[in-house]
C-alpha cells in the first residue's frame, strides 16, 4: 500500500525519486500510489528503455496514459510525446517502445461503465479559452470525472476554490504554485475531496489535471 489514504493530500516531486525495476526487463517505475505490487489501483511514472516491452496484460478497470517523452507503442499504434490514451475496462495490450519513452500511467481506476477508448494528440489539438487567462484542452469526462490539460500564462492568479471529488495534477512544464507550496515540472499532487486552494503561477505553466474522481466517503 502506497498513498492509498484518499483523505490526505499527497505531493511527490518525481524528478527527485529513484527508478524502481518492474517485472519486465528495461521497464522502470516511480510509484506514486499503489494498492498491491502488480494488481489493483496504481499511479506511476514509467520509463521504457529503448527496445523494452511488457508482456500482454489486461485492464480489468481500465488504463490511462499520458506520454511524457519518446514514443510509446502497442499493437494499436505508435504514440509520441503528448499523446493521451484511455484503454477501457476489459481491454488488454502488449506495450513496447522502440526508441524508449516515459509515461504517466494510471491503472484500475475507471468506472466499469466508462467504456470510451481515447487517443488524443495534445500537440495538435487546439486550446480553448478558459477562466481568466487560462487555456484548456479537455481530454475526457465521465459523470463527475473531468480530465484536461490547462495552460497558465505567466503571472496568472486563479480564484480560490474547492474540489468536489478531489483533484489530481501532474505538472508538465513551468511551476505550479498555491498557498501551500511551489510545484516544479514533474510534480504529482493529489488533493482530497473538498480540499481548497488558491493557485497561481509566476511563469507559463502547463498541467494535466483530473477532478471529481476521488472518493467522497473518506470524509
Amino acid at each position: 500500500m502506497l498513498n492509498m489514504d484518499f483523505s490526505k493530500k499527497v505531493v511527490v516531486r518525481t524528478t527527485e525519486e529513484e527508478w524502481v525495476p518492474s517485472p519486465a526487463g528495461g521497464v522502470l517505475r516511480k510509484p506514486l500510489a499503489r494498492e498491491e505490487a502488480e494488481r489493483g489501483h496504481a499511479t506511476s511514472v514509467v520509463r521504457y528503455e529503448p527496445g523494452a516491452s511488457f508482456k500482454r496484460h489486461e485492464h480489468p478497470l481500465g488504463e490511462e496514459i499520458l506520454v511524457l517523452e519518446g514514443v510509446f507503442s502497442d499493437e494499436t499504434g505508435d504514440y509520441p510525446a503528448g499523446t493521451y490514451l484511455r484503454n477501457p475496462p476489459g481491454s488488454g495490450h502488449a506495450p513496447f517502445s522502440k526508441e524508449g519513452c516515459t509515461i504517466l500511467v494510471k491503472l484500475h481506476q475507471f468506472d466499469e461503465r466508462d467504456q470510451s477508448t481515447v487517443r488524443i494528440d495534445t500537440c495538435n489539438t487546439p486550446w480553448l479559452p478558459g477562466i481568466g487567462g487560462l487555456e484548456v484542452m479537455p481530454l475526457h469526462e465521465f459523470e463527475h470525472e473531468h480530465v484536461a490539460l490547462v495552460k497558465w500564462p505567466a503571472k496568472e492568479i486563479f480564484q480560490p476554490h474547492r474540489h468536489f471529488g478531489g483533484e489530481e495534477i501532474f505538472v508538465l512544464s513551468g511551476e505550479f504554485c498555491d498557498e501551500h507550496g511551489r510545484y516544479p515540472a514533474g510534480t504529482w499532487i493529489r488533493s482530497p475531496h473538498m480540499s481548497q486552494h488558491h493557485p497561481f503561477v509566476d511563469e507559463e505553466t502547463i498541467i494535466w489535471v483530473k477532478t471529481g474522481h476521488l472518493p467522497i466517503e473518506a470524509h
Side-chain angles (χ1 to χ4, degrees):
M1 298 279 281
L2 173 67
N3 292 330
M4 290 298 292
D5 183 348
F6 296 105
S7 69
K8 289 185 167 58
K9 180 178 178 178
V10 182
V11 177
V12 180
R13 289 170 174 80
T14 66
T15 58
E16 300 172 8
E17 298 294 306
E18 298 293 325
W19 292 104
V20 179
S22 80
V27 182
L28 304 171
R29 295 189 288 214
K30 294 182 177 182
L32 305 178
R34 189 168 64 189
E35 190 172 4
E36 296 182 52
E38 300 302 326
R39 296 178 52 196
H41 180 115
T43 299
S44 309
V45 176
V46 177
R47 188 179 80 194
Y48 284 70
E49 295 178 346
S53 62
F54 218 97
K55 66 176 188 283
R56 180 177 174 85
H57 56 276
E58 310 302 315
H59 307 126
L61 282 179
E63 177 185 56
E64 181 176 20
I65 290 171
L66 181 63
V67 184
L68 303 174
E69 298 174 350
V71 179
F72 173 81
S73 303
D74 64 14
E75 54 268 54
T76 67
D78 301 316
Y79 304 105
T83 308
Y84 176 74
L85 307 98
R86 288 178 78 97
N87 297 313
S91 62
H93 65 164
F96 63 94
S97 182
K98 291 179 182 175
E99 67 174 61
C101 68
T102 304
I103 62 176
L104 173 69
V105 59
K106 297 174 65 62
L107 295 169
H108 209 80
Q109 298 176 41
F110 291 12
D111 187 297
E112 61 188 11
R113 298 167 296 139
D114 184 358
Q115 287 290 324
S116 298
T117 296
V118 178
R119 305 281 187 268
I120 297 175
D121 175 4
T122 68
C123 296
N124 291 292
T125 299
W127 293 93
L128 304 177
I131 296 172
L134 299 183
E135 295 181 83
V136 180
M137 187 185 300
L139 300 176
H140 183 71
E141 62 179 65
F142 181 81
E143 295 187 347
H144 297 299
E145 178 179 326
H146 295 267
V147 189
L149 297 186
V150 181
K151 183 190 292 186
W152 296 64
K155 306 300 182 184
E156 184 73 10
I157 301 173
F158 197 70
Q159 64 225 33
H161 60 280
R162 289 189 182 274
H163 307 122
F164 184 89
E167 179 187 60
E168 194 169 341
I169 287 172
F170 193 87
V171 183
L172 296 172
S173 65
E175 184 181 55
F176 184 72
C177 309
D178 63 15
E179 68 271 37
H180 309 300
R182 304 178 75 92
Y183 314 101
T187 304
W188 177 71
I189 310 155
R190 193 185 69 203
S191 301
H193 172 60
M194 296 312 290
S195 56
Q196 179 174 329
H197 68 159
H198 188 185
F200 64 94
V201 299
D202 291 331
E203 60 185 284
E204 182 180 275
T205 298
I206 298 176
I207 62 173
W208 172 92
V209 60
K210 183 199 289 266
T211 58
H213 62 301
L214 297 176
I216 63 176
E217 61 270 15
H219 290 251

